[in-house]
């Protein structure tokens, strides 16, 4: 229990202050990706799911696809020697029309109107070190600002398609 509390506290610190970065300060939307990676590394499913819109988290938890040990599955079958890293290679701010399209998609999916104040589309390289090679997966991830916080938009990423390099 104490270990989980420490992990959650570390995730909250990372999301709110971006501590530990030597490079430029994190932007709000970047912090959500960092928090997702940190939560996955600590196998903290609750914090990991909290990186997505609250409506998506609820949809996922109530779906047949939900597995309580999904983060353990991500690391299964690999001889992991390092941590999962989400590295944003680039991002683009979405236009008002594109944001309206996301809001329409959210209405269709969650049956409730959601107003986003900002949105970004990011190309993200997801890396995991194994004892033999660096495993990578690439994703296009949409991030939205909703009720003052950034969230990952879309379905929960509950598996990766890692390829060796």
């Amino acid at each position: 229990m104490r270990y989980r509390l420490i992990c959650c506290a570390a995730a909250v610190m990372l999301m709110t202050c971006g501590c530990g970065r030597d490079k430029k300060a994190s932007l709000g939307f970047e912090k959500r990706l960092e928090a997702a990676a940190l939560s996955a590394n600590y196998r903290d499913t609750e914090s990991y799911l909290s990186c997505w819109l609250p409506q998506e988290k609820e949809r996922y938890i109530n779906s047949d696809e939900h597995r309580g040990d999904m983060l353990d599955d991500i690391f299964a079958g690999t001889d992991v020697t390092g941590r999962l890293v989400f590295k944003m290679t680039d991002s683009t701010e979405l236009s008002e029309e594109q944001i309206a399209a996301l809001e329409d998609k959210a209405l269709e999916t969650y049956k409730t109107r959601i107003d986003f104040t900002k949105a970004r589309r990011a190309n993200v390289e997801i890396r995991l070190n194994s004892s033999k090679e660096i495993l990578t997966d690439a994703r296009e991830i949409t991030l939205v600002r909703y009720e003052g916080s950034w969230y990952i938009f879309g379905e929960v990423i509950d598996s990766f398609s890692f390829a060796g390099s």
Side-chain angles (χ1 to χ4, degrees):
M1 179 67 178
R2 181 180 168 152
Y3 175 75
R4 183 173 288 270
L5 184 61
I6 291 170
C7 293
C8 289
V12 168
M13 280 181 31
L14 183 61
M15 287 186 333
T16 58
C17 70
C19 298
R21 288 199 59 161
D22 294 332
K23 299 178 184 174
K24 65 178 173 63
S26 294
L27 300 172
F29 61 90
E30 291 176 321
K31 290 179 186 175
R32 191 56 69 171
L33 293 173
E34 292 168 359
L38 183 65
S39 299
N41 286 321
Y42 284 106
R43 315 305 200 269
D44 184 352
T45 302
E46 180 68 26
S47 294
Y48 182 77
L49 292 175
S50 293
C51 294
W52 273 261
L53 278 172
Q55 296 84 351
E56 174 57 20
K57 177 182 173 182
E58 181 180 344
R59 185 207 65 78
Y60 181 78
I61 288 172
N62 294 322
S63 73
D64 292 337
E65 58 196 89
H66 174 61
R67 300 177 322 277
D69 60 350
M70 68 179 221
L71 294 176
D72 291 330
D73 292 348
I74 289 172
F75 296 96
T78 60
D79 185 14
V80 177
T81 59
R83 301 212 172 271
L84 187 70
V85 175
F86 284 34
K87 180 182 177 190
M88 187 179 325
T89 56
D90 67 21
S91 74
T92 306
E93 187 167 352
L94 300 184
S95 68
E96 288 183 23
E97 293 81 21
Q98 292 170 311
I99 292 172
L102 290 176
E103 291 171 342
D104 291 343
K105 184 174 180 180
L107 176 61
E108 180 182 317
T109 304
Y110 308 118
K111 310 300 184 226
T112 186
R113 185 77 190 159
I114 303 174
D115 294 318
F116 303 132
T117 55
K118 291 183 179 182
R120 295 193 74 86
R121 188 155 292 128
N123 291 317
V124 179
E125 181 180 83
I126 302 159
R127 289 192 237 160
L128 183 63
N129 291 339
S130 77
S131 62
K132 298 177 184 172
E133 59 192 342
I134 297 173
L135 305 173
T136 60
D137 186 7
R139 301 285 175 115
E140 183 178 84
I141 296 177
T142 302
L143 298 124
V144 293
R145 189 155 175 84
Y146 168 65
E147 294 186 347
S149 295
W150 285 95
Y151 295 97
I152 299 172
F153 180 84
E155 292 186 8
V156 169
I157 300 173
D158 60 359
S159 65
F160 295 95
S161 299
F162 287 117
S165 60

